[in-house]
Amino acid sequence: MSEKISLAHGDGGELAHQLIQEVFVSAFEHHEHARLDAALLHVPSNKLAISTDSFVIKPVFFPGGNIGKLAIVGTVNDIAVSGAEPLYMTVGFILEEGFLIKDLKEIVTAMAEEAKKANVKIVAGDTKVVERGSVDGIFINTTGVGVIKEENFLPRKIKEGDSVIISGTIGDHGVAILSARGELGLLTDLESDCACLNRLIDDIMSASNKVKIMRDPTRGGVATTLVEICEDFKVAIEIREDDLPIKPEVEGACDLLGFEPLYLANEGKLLVIVAKEDEAKVLEVMKKHELGIDATSIGHVVEQGEGKLFLKMTLGSRRRLNRLSGIQLPRIC
């Protein structure tokens, strides 16, 4: 096989067949589900969760992962935070003429490894090759299918007093990507938090039936995600500035560049709203998991201010937070 992607790799002929066999099938395997034009799936539930996402991150390789790992993580987490068990996934690649085959193999290998860790099968896919300059190397689309157990049906009614928990430090992914670009002179060893959350979520759902809603705060960060919850479910939430877990590297980068950590992207963090009486139980379970060691309560649902998110400041005052306006960092996922 040649070292670089050519237009012939996307024409459906012999080179396309070689690419599929030597890169994709060797990594993703050839499951029985994938032997027809459409994957035939067995699902142990009447209630399905389906999510799709496209990944165009720059750079393609970054500390803590690459676009392939991110494509698996992003879709697995979107399914899992809905209370569903992710089972199957489809993958679509758009490749630029000249993209290195060795880089594609590294990306596909990372996808296969992450899917295996999440116990998700990749059952269908597609590859297109476009002329040089039409895309930035590689774009990936993933669609996930999961099943919802009746007892895990979310969301449940959010009430005054419910606790807001975050699984760990915020803004790590955004700063790691910014550093990897090297555009603003930011030097840090910080790695992206890119990780599948479905195992952590399984533990939480097994420990408590009073979880009201879960979200992974990706683009727009923690603040935008909570604003959307406030607006969608007509509640008000107050988070405490003093309790926000932020690594010194993220604080330093934000101070230097004028960014707000609450709006930076995360790719392996979980927001949980749970009844106050189960807060300690959920925190205990989360802290036992490697992805929840730094879990902490950051706020609660308050009585007044329907549809609004508030930040209680260190000095006691509070201000309203709105969704991210404009673009803080482009192409972060």
Side-chain angles (χ1 to χ4, degrees):
M1 181 179 286
S2 61
E3 294 182 352
K4 295 182 179 179
I5 292 291
S6 69
L7 292 176
H9 282 112
D11 69 359
E14 180 58 28
L15 275 182
H17 177 72
Q18 286 182 24
L19 183 71
I20 291 169
Q21 292 300 317
E22 296 180 21
V23 177
F24 301 122
V25 172
S26 66
F28 299 153
E29 303 178 19
H30 192 45
H31 300 292
E32 61 175 323
H33 316 84
R35 292 173 183 169
L36 300 174
D37 279 352
L40 306 182
L41 309 178
H42 301 281
V43 289
S45 171
N46 291 325
K47 196 177 294 294
L48 301 181
I50 299 175
S51 181
T52 190
D53 206 344
S54 297
F55 299 86
V56 296
I57 192 169
K58 183 178 182 179
V60 169
F61 295 94
F62 52 85
N66 62 45
I67 189 173
K69 178 180 179 182
L70 184 65
I72 299 296
V73 165
T75 295
V76 164
N77 289 347
D78 283 347
I79 295 286
V81 296
S82 302
E85 178 187 2
L87 294 179
Y88 303 108
M89 189 174 292
T90 69
V91 182
F93 294 89
I94 298 177
L95 304 173
E96 182 185 17
E97 179 188 12
F99 194 71
L100 293 176
I101 298 285
K102 71 176 184 60
D103 287 349
L104 179 60
K105 286 183 175 179
E106 184 175 349
I107 288 166
V108 169
T109 298
M111 297 180 77
E113 291 174 351
E114 199 63 26
K116 186 175 183 180
K117 283 196 291 185
N119 198 27
V120 171
K121 288 185 170 60
I122 297 173
V123 295
D126 180 54
T127 305
K128 294 290 187 296
V129 179
V130 296
E131 293 87 351
R132 194 182 303 270
S134 298
V135 298
D136 194 0
I138 179 173
F139 293 163
I140 299 176
N141 173 272
T142 49
T143 297
V145 177
V147 295
I148 297 178
K149 299 176 184 175
E150 199 59 40
E151 62 269 25
N152 287 349
F153 184 75
L154 295 177
R156 300 186 178 104
K157 186 173 178 56
I158 301 172
K159 297 179 180 178
E160 180 187 352
D162 288 347
S163 296
V164 180
I165 294 173
I166 184 83
S167 61
T169 53
I170 64 177
D172 298 3
H173 179 73
V175 171
I177 297 304
L178 190 62
S179 176
R181 286 182 186 161
E183 295 174 348
L184 299 176
L186 183 64
L187 299 176
T188 173
D189 295 328
L190 188 67
E191 291 191 351
S192 166
D193 54 6
C194 185
C196 288
L197 296 165
N198 54 322
R199 300 302 189 194
L200 173 63
I201 290 172
D202 286 345
D203 292 347
I204 294 170
M205 298 299 281
S206 296
S208 172
N209 61 3
K210 295 181 180 177
V211 173
K212 305 300 182 68
I213 192 171
M214 295 180 289
R215 289 281 176 82
D216 56 331
T218 53
R219 283 183 301 172
V222 169
T224 299
T225 302
L226 288 177
V227 167
E228 289 174 351
I229 291 174
C230 289
E231 292 177 349
D232 289 347
F233 297 96
K234 302 186 186 310
V235 297
I237 290 175
E238 180 180 276
I239 55 176
R240 302 177 291 271
E241 184 178 35
D242 287 345
D243 291 331
L244 297 176
I246 304 172
K247 287 179 178 172
E249 300 97 312
V250 174
E251 278 197 346
C254 289
D255 288 344
L256 183 67
L257 301 171
F259 292 146
E260 167 58 71
L262 281 167
Y263 292 100
L264 287 175
N266 313 270
E267 290 294 344
K269 294 301 186 309
L270 178 66
L271 279 167
V272 182
I273 297 182
V274 61
K276 179 65 179 177
E277 58 265 35
D278 272 17
E279 178 192 90
K281 184 191 298 184
V282 169
L283 279 172
E284 182 181 0
V285 168
M286 293 176 77
K287 287 177 177 294
K288 289 179 179 176
H289 194 284
E290 61 177 339
L291 297 179
I293 291 172
D294 296 320
T296 185
S297 172
I298 60 172
H300 62 285
V301 179
V302 294
E303 179 183 8
Q304 295 183 335
E306 181 180 295
K308 298 177 182 177
L309 175 67
F310 300 100
L311 177 66
K312 186 173 184 179
M313 312 292 286
T314 300
L315 297 179
S317 61
R318 76 174 187 173
R319 66 181 174 95
R320 183 178 176 185
L321 297 175
N322 296 301
R323 68 182 69 240
L324 177 63
S325 176
I327 300 174
Q328 187 162 235
L329 290 174
R331 294 183 56 187
I332 51 178
C333 58

